[in-house]
Amino acid sequence: MAEKKLKNRWLIAASAVGIHISIGSVYSWSVFSNPLNEKHGWESSDIALIFSIAILFLGLSAAFMGHFVEKHGPRKSGMIAAVSFGIGMIGSGFADGIGNLYLLYFFYGVLGGIGLGIGYITPVSTLVKWFPDRRGLATGLAIMGFGFASMIASPVMEALINNIGISGTFYLLGAIYFVLMFSSSLYLEKPPADYVPKGMTQEEKKEKQENTETGDLAQLTANEAVKTVRFWALWIMLFINVTCGIAIIAVASPMAQSIAGMTAGAAALMVGIMGVFNGLGRLGWASASDYIGRPNTYTTFFVLQIAAFIMLPNVTNALLFQILIFVILSCYGGGFASIPAFIGDLFGTKQLGAIHGYILTAWAAAGLVGPSVVTRIEEATNSYALTMYIFTGAFVVALIVSLLIRVNIKKIREENAAPAEATS
């Protein structure tokens, strides 16, 4: 019998980008806000709730479907994500057509959100297995697609709404995203158990996987991982990083006008450039983490952002203000892209997709907390300063956690080394 031809791992990565660039369009939701308000008279807060529901169900479905991804493989879960997200978008067109806000909550928020969650985690654990030599780069490539998606989707959505209406936009994009996600899913596949990339020996791969000084700390199931201190350390670090970053995304334009005196047009341009740094941060920081290590990467995130958030409320120079915002957005994106490789380092690849799903509940929680905190405090104090200082305090906590997790890692490495020394 002919040996099955090995798939190209870079095409696997490209397929992952195809899925992420589709579901990442969720970050362009605000493009629909004014048109929906003008057409139906719905309150802005009611329309914004659709986005919050989608992010909530992203986190929940990622947590609940992680085991499904590991058991049935990325192809099946990718197809399910394509169907769910596609129906969510097309159903949103129907909901808009009949003017039913609650149907929009269901189709875009719930169904679309489920497609988001499954689609987000589907390629990641697969890529980590295809790229044992460059975990950060591989996951950074895929998750970069999610960060860059809004740059492509926002102008396209705006043009389509002006030409074919809101419903037509949902129908057309729903069909396009379905085809792109479904076709991308067909190429996804786990590597064979003995797979070693070109330029890497079996011994080097084994060292990466086993409990050595440079290898994976352990090979745990998802249910074992959640009982460890280091799982909750990762959860807290991601929660704080996302809470503060997503809050900045939510209020970037009015904050730039209020603090740095920027015009509405200049602030809008800044928001567009933020998407570039969000995307570049995902690839750049994740790739760098392959060389400087994941613990150092996260500690760097928090040191940079402590400085940025302390300075933000007092910066009246528009250029310096924007530089600080772009640094924050690069760390925001980098936190997402580096977490799957960090999970692989700490818990192995046995059930990486399921563990990643559990960790992403931090994103769901942050999506509800971040924008709410910053808007409520600003309304109460008529200033963003207090929020920025609260976020600075949160990053101090994250920095301490990032240092403490090293103690836990060192302790486990020493415990793993003891039996090896005893038998040598």
Side-chain angles (χ1 to χ4, degrees):
M1 195 172 80
E3 189 178 328
K4 187 179 177 183
K5 188 181 177 185
L6 192 68
K7 288 191 173 180
N8 185 312
R9 66 176 183 161
W10 292 103
L11 289 179
I12 297 272
S15 300
V17 173
I19 292 174
H20 273 236
I21 215 158
S22 301
I23 59 177
S25 63
V26 69
Y27 274 156
S28 300
W29 173 253
S30 60
V31 174
F32 288 102
S33 297
N34 286 339
L36 286 170
N37 174 269
E38 290 164 10
K39 182 176 179 180
H40 302 291
W42 296 332
E43 294 292 330
S44 297
S45 56
D46 293 333
I47 297 167
L49 183 59
I50 299 167
F51 173 79
S52 294
I53 292 171
I55 296 298
L56 174 65
F57 275 86
L58 182 160
L60 293 175
S61 61
F64 283 108
M65 291 296 288
H67 287 284
F68 181 92
V69 175
E70 293 296 340
K71 184 177 179 182
H72 297 285
R75 187 178 300 153
K76 281 185 182 176
S77 56
M79 290 176 180
I80 292 170
V83 169
S84 182
F85 193 70
I87 291 175
M89 288 288 287
I90 292 166
S92 297
F94 172 71
D96 169 73
I98 64 171
N100 191 309
L101 179 63
Y102 294 100
L103 267 184
L104 206 49
Y105 287 152
F106 172 73
F107 280 114
Y108 196 94
V110 178
L111 268 187
I114 290 170
L116 281 170
I118 302 170
Y120 192 91
I121 61 171
T122 284
V124 173
S125 64
T126 307
L127 278 178
V128 169
K129 290 162 189 168
W130 277 101
F131 288 83
D133 50 337
R134 302 185 75 182
R135 282 178 176 170
L137 171 67
T139 56
L141 273 172
I143 295 172
M144 176 190 68
F146 197 95
F148 272 136
S150 63
M151 286 176 55
I152 302 165
S154 295
V156 170
M157 286 174 174
E158 197 160 346
L160 288 175
I161 290 169
N162 292 333
N163 285 284
I164 62 176
I166 299 171
S167 294
T169 300
F170 278 127
Y171 290 141
L172 179 60
L173 289 180
I176 290 171
Y177 289 145
F178 170 77
V179 170
L180 180 56
M181 291 175 71
F182 199 88
S183 56
S184 295
S185 299
L186 292 176
Y187 195 78
L188 290 179
E189 187 178 274
K190 288 180 182 178
D194 59 349
Y195 172 73
V196 176
K198 194 174 178 181
M200 189 183 197
T201 65
Q202 279 284 6
E203 288 72 26
E204 286 171 335
K205 184 188 175 187
K206 191 176 181 184
E207 185 180 327
K208 285 273 186 185
Q209 291 174 330
E210 290 181 350
N211 305 323
T212 67
E213 278 301 309
T214 57
D216 296 346
L217 203 61
Q219 291 290 332
L220 302 184
T221 65
N223 292 338
E224 289 169 341
V226 296
K227 295 172 185 172
T228 64
V229 171
R230 57 193 187 278
F231 173 90
W232 293 104
L234 284 192
W235 196 99
I236 290 166
M237 289 193 295
L238 186 66
F239 173 74
I240 291 173
N241 202 53
V242 177
T243 296
C244 303
I246 211 166
I248 292 295
I249 291 170
V251 299
S253 177
M255 189 166 74
Q257 295 172 62
S258 171
I259 294 175
M262 292 170 65
T263 65
L269 178 62
M270 180 194 77
V271 171
I273 299 172
M274 281 165 59
V276 178
F277 281 88
N278 187 355
L280 288 176
R282 290 165 191 253
L283 181 59
W285 282 113
S287 300
S289 76
D290 284 332
Y291 299 97
I292 66 172
R294 257 62 75 172
N296 288 337
T297 303
Y298 271 81
T299 299
T300 305
F301 288 157
F302 303 139
V303 169
L304 286 174
Q305 289 182 96
I306 286 169
F309 275 94
I310 284 177
M311 293 171 67
L312 264 183
N314 305 304
V315 172
T316 53
N317 180 284
L319 178 61
L320 180 55
F321 180 88
Q322 290 178 85
I323 289 170
L324 293 174
I325 292 289
F326 298 152
V327 167
I328 290 167
L329 261 291
S330 81
C331 293
Y332 171 79
F336 279 119
S338 304
I339 208 80
F342 209 163
I343 292 168
D345 295 345
L346 298 185
F347 307 110
T349 57
K350 185 191 287 187
Q351 289 194 349
L352 193 146
I355 299 168
H356 190 208
Y358 286 162
I359 290 277
L360 287 182
T361 56
W363 186 2
L368 296 175
V369 173
S372 174
V373 166
V374 72
T375 51
R376 285 174 188 269
I377 293 177
E378 193 278 330
E379 286 170 2
T381 64
N382 203 29
S383 167
Y384 292 102
L386 179 59
T387 311
M388 297 304 108
Y389 295 138
I390 289 171
F391 286 167
T392 301
F395 276 119
V396 170
V397 172
L399 176 61
I400 292 168
V401 172
S402 79
L403 297 174
L404 288 176
I405 196 173
R406 296 162 185 264
V407 178
N408 183 256
I409 292 169
K410 186 181 178 185
K411 180 186 172 187
I412 293 166
R413 286 210 186 280
E414 287 172 353
E415 289 172 356
N416 290 338
E421 289 172 3
T423 54
S424 61

